[in-house]
């Protein structure tokens, strides 16, 4: 007769028990993570874009309680969390959103990196924040949008007037080779909309600040009416959810310059605002469109 499997759970100290405890801790940490880590900041949507899909971008960061200038970056050399370099005799601090090591609270990670960079010496870098410092919203003036520059390469990694050594030059060349041409769409009423040339087609990804369900309903109303596009040469491709917000994605004609999509993006924004303000019950076609849109939705994190 085989041995009974009753009470045959993982033994204390066994590898199986350790694995289960690790998974439990990971689930608890994930459950405790803020759904929208950058909520409350005027530039929440742009932070998400720079964190998730913009390759090379920088913006002056309005850090409070410091005389040192800060620059927010999509990514820094070596994917470090922060670094300080000498700029004409003054210390200049950089903090990144795309890093090697992160916790479940990105706001805490960036806030901790800023706190470290306030006093670090030029030449020092921080691989990862300790995640026990302030949150981002507590150390910046988050009342106004950021002045974001999307770069064509990573040349800004090297201070002006400095010649990189061979290893650094090779690293930059490798990073540059992986960049897809990108641009931030600039138009009245449009923010956090980014164009990227993927080769055979271009895309527009637009991080939206609205409640996910409300935005999905608005997208469905436009889809049902045949108005969910940026004009001729564009097609709604789907959406993904990240950091508590929804990001609609459109396929675009790659032959057109990103500036040529500004008007279409602006007009879509106006139609979305009207659909968001529509409180009438959804029609059968609109509900069917909503279900179809949800079936094409992906969650990144």
């Amino acid at each position: 007769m085989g041995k009974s499997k009753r009470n045959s759970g993982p033994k204390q100290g066994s590898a199986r028990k350790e694995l289960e405890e690790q998974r439990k801790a990971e689930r608890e940490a994930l459950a405790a993570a803020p759904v929208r880590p950058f909520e409350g900041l005027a530039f929440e949507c742009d932070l998400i874009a720079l964190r998730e899909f913009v390759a090379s971008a920088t913006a002056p960061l309005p850090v409070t309680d410091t005389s040192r200038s800060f620059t927010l970056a999509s990514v820094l050399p070596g994917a470090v969390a922060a670094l300080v370099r000498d700029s004409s005799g003054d210390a200049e601090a950089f903090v990144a959103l795309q890093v090697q090591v992160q916790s479940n609270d990105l706001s805490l990670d960036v806030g901790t990196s800023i706190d470290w960079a306030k006093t670090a010496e030029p030449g020092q870098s921080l691989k990862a924040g300790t995640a026990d410092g302030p949150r981002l919203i507590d150390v910046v003036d988050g009342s106004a949008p950021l002045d974001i520059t999307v770069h064509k390469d990573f040349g800004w990694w090297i201070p002006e007037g400095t010649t990189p050594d061979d290893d650094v030059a090779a690293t930059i060349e490798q990073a540059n080779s992986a960049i897809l041409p990108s641009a931030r769409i600039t138009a009245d009423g449009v923010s956090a909309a980014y164009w990227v040339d993927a080769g055979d087609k271009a895309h527009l990804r637009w991080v939206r600040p609205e409640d996910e369900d409300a935005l999905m309903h608005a997208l469905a109303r436009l889809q049902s009416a045949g108005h969910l596009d940026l004009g001729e040469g564009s097609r709604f491709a789907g959406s993904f959810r990240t950091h508590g917000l929804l990001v609609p994605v459109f396929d675009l004609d790659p032959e057109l310059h990103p500036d040529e999509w500004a008007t279409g993006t602006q007009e879509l924004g106006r139609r979305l605002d009207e659909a968001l303000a529509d409180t009438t019950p959804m029609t059968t076609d609109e509900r069917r469109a909503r279900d179809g849109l949800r079936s094409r939705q992906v969650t990144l994190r």
Side-chain angles (χ1 to χ4, degrees), residues 75-84 94-103 109-110 112-113 116-117 120 123-131:
V75 65
L76 292 169
V80 297
L83 60 82
V84 177
F94 291 77
V95 294
L97 288 165
Q98 300 175 30
V99 297
Q100 283 186 339
V101 182
Q102 66 187 45
S103 74
D109 293 346
V110 181
T112 299
S113 297
W116 171 88
Q124 292 184 307
S125 62
L126 179 68
K127 183 175 182 181
T130 58

Side-chain angles (χ1 to χ4, degrees), residues 173-226:
E173 183 177 358
Q174 182 179 15
N176 288 344
S177 67
I179 286 185
L180 298 176
S182 302
R184 189 172 187 267
I185 300 297
T186 302
D188 289 342
V190 176
S191 64
Y194 290 84
W195 170 95
V196 60
D197 184 355
D200 58 337
K201 65 178 65 174
H203 305 286
L204 183 127
R205 299 176 178 127
W206 194 353
V207 186
R208 299 287 306 190
E210 293 87 7
D211 170 80
E212 180 184 332
D213 287 338
L215 179 59
M216 184 60 71
H217 290 172
L219 292 170
R221 290 185 191 275
L222 296 186
Q223 175 80 330
S224 176

Side-chain angles (χ1 to χ4, degrees), residues 61 63 70 82 95 109-118 136 139-140:
L61 191 61
V63 176
F70 272 77
V95 294
D109 293 346
V110 181
T112 299
S113 297
I114 290 173
D115 203 44
W116 171 88
K118 283 183 177 181
L136 179 59
V139 293
V140 299

Side-chain angles (χ1 to χ4, degrees), residues 17-296:
K17 181 174 179 59
E18 290 177 0
L19 180 59
E20 290 192 0
E21 290 177 346
Q22 178 184 345
R23 289 173 175 170
K24 179 181 178 182
E26 290 173 351
R27 288 194 297 269
E28 291 175 348
L30 187 61
V35 175
R36 290 174 60 177
F38 304 127
E39 187 174 12
L41 296 168
F43 41 87
E44 174 188 14
C45 295
D46 277 307
L47 288 177
I48 292 173
L50 267 59
R51 171 65 180 81
E52 293 303 324
F53 54 81
V54 178
S56 181
T58 57
L61 191 61
V63 176
T64 58
D65 191 28
T66 183
S67 59
R68 180 171 290 183
S69 67
F70 272 77
T71 296
L72 177 72
S74 53
V75 65
L76 292 169
V80 297
L83 60 82
V84 177
R85 70 187 188 192
D86 182 73
S87 178
S88 302
D90 294 324
E92 182 179 15
F94 291 77
V95 294
L97 288 165
Q98 300 175 30
V99 297
Q100 283 186 339
V101 182
Q102 66 187 45
S103 74
N104 286 316
D105 187 344
L106 294 178
S107 178
L108 192 62
D109 293 346
V110 181
T112 299
S113 297
I114 290 173
D115 203 44
W116 171 88
K118 283 183 177 181
T119 57
E121 295 295 326
Q124 292 184 307
S125 62
L126 179 68
K127 183 175 182 181
T130 58
D132 61 356
R135 302 187 80 244
L136 179 59
I137 197 170
D138 297 323
V139 293
V140 299
D141 177 3
S143 61
L146 294 179
D147 182 14
I148 294 172
T149 299
V150 177
H151 301 276
K152 64 180 181 180
D153 56 31
F154 288 102
W156 58 269
W157 277 359
I158 304 301
E160 291 186 15
T162 301
T163 301
D165 61 33
D166 291 344
D167 289 342
V168 173
T171 298
I172 293 177
E173 183 177 358
Q174 182 179 15
N176 288 344
S177 67
I179 286 185
L180 298 176
S182 302
R184 189 172 187 267
I185 300 297
T186 302
D188 289 342
V190 176
S191 64
Y194 290 84
W195 170 95
V196 60
D197 184 355
D200 58 337
K201 65 178 65 174
H203 305 286
L204 183 127
R205 299 176 178 127
W206 194 353
V207 186
R208 299 287 306 190
E210 293 87 7
D211 170 80
E212 180 184 332
D213 287 338
L215 179 59
M216 184 60 71
H217 290 172
L219 292 170
R221 290 185 191 275
L222 296 186
Q223 175 80 330
S224 176
H227 296 153
L228 187 55
D229 57 54
L230 305 177
E232 185 178 354
S234 69
R235 181 184 69 86
F236 180 72
S239 62
F240 63 89
R241 181 196 302 112
T242 183
H243 306 304
L245 294 181
L246 202 60
V247 185
V249 180
F250 298 84
D251 290 340
L252 307 176
D253 181 349
E255 297 300 318
L256 298 182
H257 189 275
D259 289 347
E260 295 182 76
W261 295 107
T263 298
T265 306
Q266 186 179 31
E267 291 177 353
L268 174 62
R270 177 186 54 77
R271 294 196 298 270
L272 275 174
D273 287 342
E274 292 176 354
L276 285 161
D278 187 348
T279 59
T280 60
M282 297 185 74
T283 66
T284 300
D285 286 344
E286 289 170 345
R287 288 196 299 271
R288 186 180 298 114
R290 178 196 59 196
D291 294 342
L293 295 181
R294 282 178 171 165
S295 70
R296 296 154 64 187

